[in-house]
Amino acid sequence: MGKNVTINSSNIRDMVSEIAQDEREKLETELSGRLLMLKIDSATCRDRSVLGINVQYSDGKGVVLRTLAVRDLTERHMSEYISSVVMDVLRQYNISLQQVYSVTSDNGANMLKAVSLLSDIQERAVSNEDATCKETEEIGEDVEMVGEDEGSQEEPILQLDSVSHGHVLRSVRCAAHTLQLAVDDSLKQASNIIAKARRVAKRLRSQNVVCVLKRMGHKRAIVDCATRWHSTHDMLQQLLELKTFCEDMAPTIPDLHLSESEWEYVSNTVDALKPAKIATKCLQSDQLTAGEFYGVWLKCSLDTEKLASPFARKVAQCIKARQSTLFDNDAFIAAVFLDPRYRLFLTECQTEKAKIHLYRTWEAIQNLEPRNAASGSDVCAAASPTQSQTSSDDEIEHLLMEKERDTSSTQRRSHVSIMSLLDTYSKEARLRRTEDVFQYWARYSVSNPDLYKLAMSVIPLPVTEVSVERAFSSLKFILSPLRSSLNEKVLEDILLVRLNKQYGL
């Protein structure tokens, strides 16, 4: 900071703002021209509502996570308002909506509708761009067709160029939230037993019983939060450890009494929820890919089905009922297809669906590539008018220019061959589950750069938005009771610097 810096609230605020602006400029450069995946979620802290927006992509070695903003919300959380805030943040980083491949959110109706609105905007933008390109090509074709025969071979190429599939934005529901909803659905069946167990746990936390537990060397009982099933699992598990104590004390404290069938149901509930709890912890990984999530979800479902209790069967049924909202998604299926460890789980229909979506994705990637190559040639030509005028009279030079234009057009249409590359890839041997999928694709970076580029754009699909929830944990730390009136711009700058430094920017 230097020796002549005076440390006060005004100077520090200005320094934080400067550093935050530097971080935004770095992010703008880092994200330019990439196909990006967003994660959004909202929260309320100290009577202030915020929208957290993270961006995720792959650098070829793994998943890269960045925080774009934790923006104050000043209106009702309507879908139109949320989508406008997201668009405003994207404009701040000069990110085009055509760069957005997916948006991961929870299952809230307003969030899902907001993503749908963003998808519609992207679709309209792509359609308008395709229409403009088509008109330009038709005009150019009319000029080139002058003096040529009607049997020219240009028509099939023009028809191919007129096909555009750049609309790829898909809504991805948070897998962790979906699993939580599935467990909540099953817990409704056990609500009576859980209510009785909660009554026993509260009685065990009374002062006179706590003193007895301490003297006997037992841990204190846990009372759950009804909206968080993890705490319910922990409460029931702790209660089972105190089963003998409750049975011994039940004659003198009737509130501690549970029948043997009720104790058995509590035990079955704990066993049935354990696979889901393990899966939830796995879903909190920052480097989790869609393929790895598929393996975690499948293991959770299989481990739950192995249990013979009626409640376990109910949990397994609820998980299967909810999984369709996750698996019936073009972006998710495409990411699993490009993961050779789990590709074989896809059906033939899903495989074809993945290829179609990947074809569209490749079109979107091609559209993001710099288009100033042709304009650069025009600038060079304009810089030497005499030479350009001389070349225009040269028939050979004119033919070379036409060939060059045809070659550029062929390069723009090179995505057509991506389907054959995907067909070849689908026939390759399965990769062991213990292998690293990023190292697998790194081998293709030289031999098959197009397929490698496509895979690195699709595989890091975020299946959860837990990283945004971590941002809200930082928000609670920064927006403390003593700083609850922080200016929204200052608060956003502090969180941007803190979170991106945390993730290594």
Side-chain angles (χ1 to χ4, degrees):
M1 294 175 63
K3 297 181 180 179
N4 299 324
V5 175
T6 302
I7 299 178
N8 55 49
S9 59
S10 178
N11 288 346
I12 296 301
R13 181 170 59 248
D14 293 339
M15 290 179 182
V16 170
S17 298
E18 292 174 3
I19 295 298
Q21 185 58 34
D22 290 341
E23 299 288 354
R24 290 189 180 96
E25 292 175 358
K26 290 179 183 178
L27 270 174
E28 181 179 341
T29 303
E30 181 180 341
L31 303 178
S32 177
R34 292 181 180 272
L35 203 62
L36 305 173
M37 304 165 182
L38 302 184
K39 297 190 278 188
I40 62 174
D41 196 10
S42 62
T44 301
C45 180
R46 313 292 178 196
D47 296 326
R48 295 175 67 169
S49 297
V50 296
L51 180 70
I53 304 177
N54 283 0
V55 63
Q56 188 165 302
Y57 66 92
S58 174
D59 60 355
K61 300 178 182 178
V63 175
V64 179
L65 178 66
R66 299 284 184 256
T67 297
L68 292 183
V70 181
R71 184 68 57 87
D72 259 278
L73 299 178
T74 57
E75 300 179 16
R76 291 182 60 193
H77 299 182
M78 303 295 289
S79 56
E80 293 81 3
Y81 177 59
I82 292 175
S83 62
S84 67
V85 173
V86 174
M87 290 291 293
D88 184 58
V89 172
L90 294 180
R91 282 192 294 267
Q92 187 178 18
Y93 291 92
N94 286 327
I95 298 175
S96 169
L97 192 58
Q98 278 84 333
Q99 290 180 246
V100 181
Y101 176 75
S102 67
V103 180
T104 303
S105 66
D106 59 25
N107 290 264
N110 58 339
M111 290 294 180
L112 297 177
K113 179 62 177 177
V115 179
S116 178
L117 292 175
L118 293 173
S119 180
D120 292 341
I121 295 173
Q122 186 191 80
E123 185 176 13
R124 288 195 298 268
V126 171
S127 299
N128 293 337
E129 185 177 349
D130 290 343
T132 303
C133 293
K134 183 176 181 180
E135 291 177 2
T136 304
E137 290 173 351
E138 288 176 351
I139 293 174
E141 176 65 10
D142 290 340
V143 174
E144 293 177 1
M145 289 292 289
V146 174
E148 294 186 3
D149 296 334
E150 294 182 357
S152 174
Q153 297 298 321
E154 293 293 327
E155 184 177 357
I157 297 179
L158 288 175
Q159 290 179 353
L160 184 60
D161 284 342
S162 65
V163 178
S164 178
H165 302 285
H167 170 55
V168 294
L169 199 161
R170 296 293 184 270
S171 172
V172 178
R173 302 194 184 194
C174 177
H177 187 245
T178 303
L179 181 59
Q180 178 180 343
L181 293 177
V183 175
D184 287 341
D185 292 341
S186 61
L187 285 176
K188 293 176 182 178
Q189 179 177 321
S191 58
N192 292 334
I193 299 297
I194 293 175
K196 291 182 180 181
R198 189 178 293 118
R199 181 201 65 202
V200 173
K202 288 181 179 179
R203 189 68 178 89
L204 288 171
R205 290 174 64 88
S206 60
Q207 189 61 41
N208 58 338
V209 178
V210 168
C211 294
V212 177
L213 286 173
K214 285 184 178 180
R215 286 197 300 268
M216 298 181 65
H218 294 300
K219 293 181 180 180
R220 191 177 183 182
I222 300 172
V223 176
D224 68 329
C225 175
T227 59
R228 298 182 180 273
W229 68 266
H230 267 233
S231 63
T232 302
H233 172 274
D234 296 339
M235 177 188 71
L236 298 179
Q237 189 175 41
Q238 181 66 16
L239 200 59
L240 286 175
E241 296 180 6
L242 299 174
K243 177 182 176 181
T244 303
F245 176 84
C246 291
E247 290 176 340
D248 293 341
M249 299 294 294
T252 56
I253 308 178
D255 288 342
L256 299 182
H257 173 73
L258 287 177
S259 65
E260 189 61 33
S261 61
E262 290 173 337
W263 280 113
E264 183 180 1
Y265 200 99
V266 169
S267 177
N268 292 336
T269 302
V270 171
D271 293 339
L273 294 180
K274 186 175 181 180
K277 184 177 181 180
I278 295 174
T280 302
K281 291 186 178 296
C282 293
L283 294 178
Q284 296 173 358
S285 172
D286 289 334
Q287 296 292 323
L288 185 72
T289 64
E292 291 166 342
F293 153 71
Y294 193 96
V296 170
W297 187 279
L298 186 61
K299 179 173 174 55
C300 173
S301 179
L302 293 176
D303 289 347
T304 306
E305 287 179 345
K306 291 178 182 178
L307 302 174
S309 66
F311 182 74
R313 289 195 294 270
K314 180 63 177 178
V315 174
Q317 291 173 3
C318 293
I319 290 176
K320 285 189 175 181
R322 290 278 184 177
Q323 72 182 18
S324 60
T325 60
L326 301 174
F327 296 170
D328 296 341
N329 185 294
D330 292 346
F332 174 78
I333 294 174
V336 175
F337 174 76
L338 289 179
D339 192 329
R341 299 171 299 180
Y342 300 95
R343 184 188 68 228
L344 296 180
F345 280 123
L346 299 180
T347 63
E348 184 177 349
C349 180
Q350 288 176 322
T351 299
E352 293 304 317
K353 190 176 181 180
K355 291 179 182 178
I356 293 173
H357 184 71
L358 289 171
Y359 176 88
R360 296 172 178 171
T361 304
W362 182 246
E363 176 73 21
I365 294 173
Q366 294 293 92
N367 291 339
L368 293 178
E369 292 182 351
R371 302 178 181 179
N372 56 358
S375 60
S377 301
D378 296 339
V379 172
C380 294
S384 305
T386 305
Q387 182 180 359
S388 176
Q389 185 176 1
T390 304
S391 300
S392 63
D393 298 330
D394 190 340
E395 185 177 357
I396 296 179
E397 182 67 19
H398 182 69
L399 292 174
L400 288 173
M401 291 174 63
E402 287 186 349
K403 291 294 184 181
E404 182 181 18
R405 186 163 52 247
D406 293 341
T407 301
S408 299
S409 177
T410 302
Q411 291 175 350
R412 289 194 298 270
R413 296 193 302 273
S414 62
H415 61 275
V416 176
S417 64
I418 203 70
M419 292 299 288
S420 61
L421 296 177
L422 293 173
D423 289 337
T424 303
Y425 157 76
S426 63
K427 300 175 183 177
E428 294 187 0
R430 178 182 67 86
L431 187 69
R432 292 172 60 95
R433 289 183 58 209
T434 55
E435 299 291 332
D436 189 336
V437 67
F438 291 101
Q439 292 181 2
Y440 168 85
W441 282 108
R443 299 195 293 264
Y444 287 85
S445 58
V446 177
S447 61
N448 201 334
D450 287 348
L451 195 57
Y452 169 77
K453 188 174 183 179
L454 179 61
M456 289 301 99
S457 300
V458 172
I459 286 179
L461 178 75
V463 293
T464 68
E465 34 90 35
V466 293
S467 62
V468 187
E469 295 178 1
R470 294 194 180 102
F472 296 151
S473 297
S474 295
L475 174 67
K476 293 178 182 178
F477 178 76
I478 299 299
L479 199 63
S480 65
L482 299 178
R483 304 188 188 93
S484 59
S485 61
L486 273 175
N487 179 275
E488 60 182 35
K489 181 64 170 63
V490 175
L491 178 62
E492 183 176 342
D493 289 343
I494 292 174
L495 289 172
L496 180 75
V497 175
R498 174 183 174 85
L499 294 170
N500 283 325
K501 291 297 183 184
Q502 177 182 351
Y503 290 116
L505 181 62

